Amino acid sequence: MPELPEVETTRLGITPHVEGRRVAKTLIRQASLRWPIPNDLPEQLARRQLLGISRRGKYLIFRFTHGHMLIHLGMSGSLRIVDADDVPKKHDHVDIIFSGNRCLRYHDPRRFGAILWTSAEVDTHKLLVNLGPEPLSDDFHSEYLFKRSRKRTKDIKTFIMDSHIVVGVGNIYANEALFAAGIRPIKAAGKVTRNQYGMLVEEIKRVLKRSIVQGGTTLRDFVGGDGKPGYFVQQLNVYGREGLPCKVCAKPLKAIRQAQRISVYCNQCQS
């Protein structure tokens, strides 16, 4: 699943090609995604200028004068800039064609993504209104996490992956940040100290920033907006390395399942 760095990499990759351009045509080949694409989306976008693209959690927000289009990439979605005359491939479900024959093409084999429209204030949308702070913002800090975690018995990894607590800390980056902060993923969130939360917040920000700079993590179903894969996967310390030696102490890394996700950690370096 594309995580926050992949979504941000996509935003950075497609923005220069479509921002400021007007929509000439919208082609919907398959409207049945996680939620049906609105029937009037082509009409809403027709001849409208795209003012900008922002991100909230894993949602891309396309801003127009009269409303916003929300895109979520789901499990396997991707956005690419192609020539409007390029023959669509299987699972190329939507084309948004801009002036200059530039086409933003949405590809999604599993069809678990979403393309939605809202004319209301975007922050009040039901999918966004209850989201936690952005992990790279000033609103996400150690004191915030410490206070939200008191008396919580939920394990720390599941806690930081809860989008109501903080958005965009997916499985890969939760594993990596917890390792760097020296915290076991199974530790109860309420047992993590204020100082440990300070280290954890710092590592979450660091690992996400580094991944964005390097183009996101290479996943089977993800490529960036420019068609090139990310490279951060080559620098992962624990994720996907179960049974291999820890890069710090050389002890074999352990793997467990938490909330249907694999957690990999070092029994020696994390407590």
Side-chain angles (χ1 to χ4, degrees):
M1 175 187 291
E3 298 191 17
L4 185 149
E6 286 78 37
V7 178
E8 181 66 9
T9 297
T10 296
R11 186 187 73 82
L12 295 172
I14 65 177
T15 295
H17 300 280
V18 294
E19 188 175 66
R21 293 179 181 266
R22 291 189 180 274
V23 176
K25 188 177 183 181
T26 301
L27 299 175
I28 301 175
R29 301 183 189 88
Q30 173 57 264
S32 298
L33 302 181
R34 183 175 184 179
W35 300 286
I37 298 174
N39 292 330
D40 65 344
L41 184 65
E43 180 183 344
Q44 292 285 2
L45 298 182
R47 299 177 298 281
R48 297 288 187 166
Q49 183 182 30
L50 176 61
L51 302 178
I53 308 174
S54 58
R55 180 190 53 75
R56 183 72 173 99
K58 298 180 185 179
Y59 289 92
L60 290 170
I61 303 172
F62 293 71
R63 181 167 58 93
F64 297 85
T65 55
H66 65 309
H68 297 81
M69 178 176 66
L70 277 64
I71 295 183
H72 193 289
L73 299 178
M75 297 292 292
S76 61
S78 64
L79 289 168
R80 300 185 187 182
I81 300 295
V82 299
D83 191 282
D85 297 325
D86 287 358
V87 177
K89 299 176 182 177
K90 186 178 181 181
H91 309 305
D92 285 347
H93 300 315
V94 178
D95 283 358
I96 302 175
I97 303 170
F98 291 84
S99 56
N101 218 34
R102 303 302 286 161
C103 175
L104 181 64
R105 180 163 287 172
Y106 178 76
H107 177 88
D108 191 354
R110 301 184 191 179
R111 287 194 286 153
F112 204 63
I115 300 178
L116 303 170
W117 176 263
T118 179
S119 299
E121 289 293 327
V122 70
D123 291 339
T124 66
H125 193 280
K126 63 182 180 180
L127 295 174
L128 306 181
V129 69
N130 293 318
L131 293 180
E134 290 286 331
L136 299 180
S137 71
D138 292 339
D139 293 331
F140 181 62
H141 49 77
S142 59
E143 194 63 21
Y144 163 78
L145 267 191
F146 180 75
K147 289 180 178 179
R148 289 296 303 267
S149 68
R150 294 308 85 190
K151 298 182 180 180
R152 292 289 192 102
T153 58
K154 178 186 291 187
D155 63 77
I156 183 60
K157 179 167 177 261
T158 305
F159 179 70
I160 62 173
M161 288 181 63
D162 183 345
S163 63
H164 296 97
I165 301 298
V166 58
V167 298
V169 183
N171 192 40
I172 294 174
Y173 303 104
N175 275 277
E176 293 299 307
L178 287 167
F179 173 76
I183 304 169
R184 288 191 190 183
I186 56 176
K187 188 169 186 173
K191 298 294 186 181
V192 176
T193 68
R194 182 180 271 106
N195 287 339
Q196 286 179 313
Y197 273 119
M199 291 186 289
L200 181 57
V201 166
E202 187 176 312
E203 293 302 333
I204 288 173
K205 291 177 182 285
R206 183 187 62 82
V207 74
L208 290 174
K209 286 178 181 177
R210 185 171 57 163
S211 184
I212 290 169
V213 168
Q214 296 185 2
T217 304
T218 302
L219 301 178
R220 181 183 61 188
D221 294 318
F222 175 79
V223 292
D226 60 357
K228 299 178 181 178
Y231 299 102
F232 184 69
V233 69
Q234 299 174 17
Q235 299 187 21
L236 296 178
N237 289 310
V238 289
Y239 182 83
R241 299 190 67 247
E242 57 266 30
L244 296 177
C246 171
K247 293 182 179 180
V248 175
C249 71
K251 297 286 186 182
L253 296 174
K254 295 183 176 294
I256 57 172
R257 184 170 288 275
Q258 293 177 278
Q260 301 181 336
R261 298 295 185 93
I262 294 295
S263 297
V264 184
Y265 68 100
C266 177
N267 211 30
Q268 180 78 17
C269 297
Q270 294 169 258
S271 61

